[in-house]
Amino acid sequence: MASVFHYFLLVLVFLDTHAAQPFCLPGCTCSEESFGRTLQCTSVSLGKIPGNLSEEFKQVRIENSPLFEMPQGSFINMSTLEYLWLNFNNISVIHLGALEHLPELRELRLEGNKLCSVPWTAFRATPLLRVLDLKRNKIDALPELALQFLVSLTYLDLSSNRLTVVSKSVFLNWPAYQKGRQPDCGAEILSSLVVALHDNPWVCDCRLRGLVQFVKSITLPVILVNSYLICQGPLSKAGQLFHETELSACMKPQISTPSANITIRVGQNVTLRCLAQASPSPSIAWTYPLSMWREFDGLLGGKHLTPVLTSSTGEDTALSELAIPAAHLVDSGNYTCMASNSIGKSSLVISLHVQPAQALHAPDSLSISSESNAYIDLRVVKQTVHGILLEWLAVADTSKEEWFTLYIASDEAFRKEVVHIGPGINTYAVDDLLPGTKYEACLSLEGQPPHQGQCVAFVTGRDAGGLEARERLLHVTVVLCVVLLAVPVGAYAWAAQGPCSCSKWVLRCCLHRRKAPSCPPAAPQSKDGSFREHPAVCDDGEGHIDTEGDKEKGGTEDNS
């Protein structure tokens, strides 16, 4: 009986002792340290910070876990927590109220996470914080008032982040630094202010001038963990130590040009030049009457490009050159060079005057004869389910509104289509195209034959049995291969149809000519000679899709 009573007492003591032990998370360890109770969770699959942690914990360490954020109210029951270590997790977001209930926090360590920014005003809730470890994150900016609420901070680690430019005002506005600089503080300074800024991709231009000067003149109470800060950019400063670098003051761009008023003849080449001096180095862009058209033209390998070349002629100096080959009257106008940097922007206008050529028969002249006194640039801009969309820039050198004529022909068609285009129209959809067929489209002033440079040729893909497949083939042949095989002298845009490549379509000879069931085998040459007979493209042995009838496309058709 006595033994049973003794056993009963032991059970009561065990239960009482077990009930007195605070709760510890499964997979984690809890221990008593000199400063208080500690919770340590390493390599535990915690998707979020547990919300049922005990108030008695003085230190919480959650490391190598898939945590991705610090949400608001994470530590609502832990007002006595002093040490929070969340190293080597996946934290990318700290919510503004994440630290609201941690008035006793002394250390916050977030090494090796994925933070790009930090809500610095959140530290208003942690006035006793002394250690802030943010190394090995992705922080790329530091606001000037970032440290204003870290009044007790003595250790700040921002090493191995992505900081490129930081103002010295960040540290001048640091209350702990201001207090340490006061001559009468004396014994109140118990320790130095330790800062780690190394292993960041510093860009040593004028924007970093203040920080470089601050680092060079740094004295107590601030101590750098590694004082050998190295420039990573720009190229002229790469590898230099802060102590060896001299940086100039920042300034907005100042632009100049050799000539702001240029006059040339039709057909001549001309290069406009714009020199910009600025710190930091400026970026330069041009705007001019045909800029949007020619940018798009350049993507398609068009015949009339306006290339821009920008190069560095020295530190903080850039030269931009805009080349205009074979100028036409339509190229006349104001060309604006705009240079900008983080300080400001400036612009300069260059006026270009293109005059008619005196001798139209001169060998170097590329101008169009008086019979075709217009600038015309024709292109294929997109594919549709059954065809393609043509777009053109056409500017006549007269004040009256001109009508234009669009010619469309193929190597298999019985006749060519003639469409009369009124003023203000610059697109036309070509539908019901045959597969595996070469087409040519030309645009000219009404009543005049098309000339070299006013035509575009394209080849459709073979039919793959379905609208979606056909649309994909048209897209590849018309858009992709135009870039690869544009012929400068006629602006012919050759294309491939699968499985052949673009080059195979051009280089291989046809073994036989395909024939459309409803069309004669070849198109006659036009009377004006502007349409030349082209050999049929390579064939895969499949026939064409039958088409019935010719659709009238908003204009007049005639036979040639």
Side-chain angles (χ1 to χ4, degrees):
M1 185 70 180
S3 60
V4 173
F5 181 74
H6 180 69
Y7 176 77
F8 180 72
L9 289 177
L10 288 176
V11 170
L12 290 176
V13 171
F14 173 79
L15 292 176
D16 184 67
T17 304
H18 182 73
Q21 294 295 326
F23 173 75
C24 191
L25 288 176
C28 304
T29 59
C30 298
S31 60
E32 292 290 341
E33 305 294 338
S34 59
F35 50 81
R37 189 165 178 78
T38 296
L39 170 68
Q40 182 170 348
C41 303
T42 303
S43 301
V44 178
S45 297
L46 294 176
K48 63 179 182 179
I49 297 173
N52 57 344
L53 298 179
S54 171
E55 279 189 46
E56 297 185 8
F57 286 120
K58 295 293 184 180
Q59 183 183 47
V60 171
R61 296 183 61 178
I62 303 176
E63 299 176 337
N64 293 298
S65 293
L67 294 179
F68 65 92
E69 66 173 343
M70 288 178 62
Q72 184 173 357
S74 300
F75 308 98
I76 192 170
N77 297 320
M78 306 189 69
S79 58
T80 60
L81 187 67
E82 296 183 9
Y83 305 94
L84 179 58
W85 292 16
L86 300 173
N87 298 319
F88 304 108
N89 298 302
N90 292 314
I91 298 175
S92 59
V93 177
I94 299 177
H95 292 268
L96 190 59
L99 306 175
E100 278 182 351
H101 305 285
L102 298 174
E104 300 294 323
L105 192 65
R106 263 72 169 173
E107 283 190 17
L108 177 59
R109 296 184 181 271
L110 291 161
E111 176 184 356
N113 281 280
K114 298 180 179 179
L115 292 169
C116 295
S117 62
V118 175
W120 297 98
T121 55
F123 295 110
R124 191 197 303 264
T126 58
L128 302 181
L129 190 67
R130 298 178 62 84
V131 175
L132 180 57
D133 186 353
L134 296 169
K135 63 175 169 283
R136 294 187 179 92
N137 276 277
K138 301 178 180 180
I139 300 171
D140 57 5
L142 203 58
E144 290 192 1
L145 298 177
L147 308 182
Q148 64 175 327
F149 298 117
L150 295 166
V151 294
S152 302
L153 197 69
T154 59
Y155 180 86
L156 175 63
D157 195 337
L158 290 166
S159 60
S160 301
N161 275 277
R162 298 181 179 178
L163 296 173
T164 56
V165 176
V166 170
S167 170
K168 70 175 181 179
S169 299
V170 172
F171 304 100
L172 297 181
N173 293 328
W174 187 5
Y177 176 79
Q178 294 174 349
K179 184 178 179 180
R181 298 289 292 177
Q182 294 175 3
D184 57 343
C185 63
E188 293 184 12
I189 301 179
L190 302 178
S191 60
S192 299
L193 308 178
V194 180
V195 180
L197 297 172
H198 54 279
D199 295 332
N200 279 286
W202 300 110
V203 176
C204 293
D205 58 24
C206 68
R207 295 168 295 175
L208 204 63
R209 187 186 186 196
L211 181 64
V212 169
Q213 292 176 342
F214 177 77
V215 169
K216 289 180 180 180
S217 61
I218 218 167
T219 57
L220 291 175
V222 178
I223 296 176
L224 289 178
V225 173
N226 185 345
S227 59
Y228 296 101
L229 303 183
I230 300 175
C231 303
Q232 184 167 316
L235 188 61
S236 59
K237 296 280 197 271
Q240 290 187 15
L241 296 173
F242 275 26
H243 289 86
E244 301 172 349
T245 303
E246 294 295 335
L247 300 178
S248 59
C250 291
M251 67 174 183
K252 66 178 290 188
Q254 297 179 351
I255 309 179
S256 61
T257 181
S259 178
N261 203 320
I262 301 174
T263 301
I264 60 172
R265 297 284 184 185
V266 167
Q268 290 183 335
N269 301 333
V270 64
T271 300
L272 310 183
R273 293 177 174 85
C274 175
L275 183 68
Q277 291 182 308
S279 183
S281 297
S283 59
I284 301 178
W286 291 84
T287 59
Y288 49 94
L290 299 181
S291 57
M292 292 302 295
W293 180 264
R294 286 183 175 165
E295 276 183 17
F296 187 60
D297 205 33
L299 294 176
L300 292 180
K303 60 183 178 298
H304 198 139
L305 304 183
T306 306
V308 176
L309 176 63
T310 301
S311 58
S312 177
T313 59
E315 188 172 354
D316 298 333
T317 303
L319 174 64
S320 183
E321 298 179 317
L322 186 146
I324 303 174
H328 191 268
L329 293 177
V330 74
D331 291 308
S332 295
N334 291 331
Y335 291 71
T336 303
C337 171
M338 297 177 294
S340 60
N341 63 6
S342 59
I343 309 302
K345 60 182 179 181
S346 301
S347 61
L348 180 146
V349 177
I350 301 176
S351 297
L352 177 65
H353 307 277
V354 181
Q355 297 181 347
Q358 292 179 342
L360 297 176
H361 59 276
D364 294 334
S365 176
L366 299 178
S367 61
I368 302 174
S369 66
S370 58
E371 293 183 357
S372 181
N373 198 22
Y375 174 89
I376 296 176
D377 199 347
L378 178 67
R379 67 171 63 128
V380 177
V381 291
K382 64 181 291 187
Q383 95 286 349
T384 60
V385 174
H386 295 288
I388 53 95
L389 180 67
L390 294 172
E391 184 179 10
W392 58 85
L393 174 67
V395 182
D397 297 331
T398 61
S399 58
K400 68 176 182 178
E401 292 185 336
E402 295 284 354
W403 281 64
F404 294 87
T405 303
L406 177 65
Y407 302 88
I408 303 171
S410 73
D411 57 356
E412 300 287 351
F414 176 71
R415 58 186 178 181
K416 68 181 177 183
E417 182 179 351
V418 180
V419 183
H420 300 286
I421 307 293
I425 301 174
N426 70 330
T427 60
Y428 184 79
V430 184
D431 295 326
D432 297 328
L433 295 178
L434 296 174
T437 304
K438 177 184 172 182
Y439 288 86
E440 185 177 37
C442 297
L443 185 72
S444 67
L445 280 175
E446 187 178 34
Q448 298 181 11
H451 290 264
Q452 188 178 47
Q454 299 177 359
C455 301
V456 61
F458 56 93
V459 179
T460 59
R462 63 180 174 86
D463 179 59
L467 295 182
E468 292 184 0
R470 185 176 180 185
E471 181 178 3
R472 184 173 64 254
L473 285 172
L474 283 171
H475 175 75
V476 172
T477 59
V478 172
V479 178
L480 177 60
C481 291
V482 162
V483 179
L484 301 177
L485 295 173
V487 180
V489 177
Y492 288 161
W494 288 94
Q497 57 99 17
C500 296
S501 67
C502 295
S503 57
K504 289 180 181 178
W505 275 81
V506 176
L507 298 178
R508 287 172 52 190
C509 295
C510 255
L511 298 178
H512 56 87
R513 180 186 297 271
R514 288 166 302 173
K515 297 182 180 180
S518 61
C519 301
Q525 295 190 19
S526 63
K527 298 177 181 179
D528 55 26
S530 60
F531 285 84
R532 296 178 299 277
E533 186 70 15
H534 300 286
V537 294
C538 297
D539 187 43
D540 57 5
E542 296 184 9
H544 299 306
I545 296 179
D546 292 339
T547 57
E548 297 181 3
D550 294 320
K551 290 187 178 181
E552 186 176 359
K553 298 179 174 60
T556 304
E557 286 191 358
D558 61 4
N559 296 336
S560 58

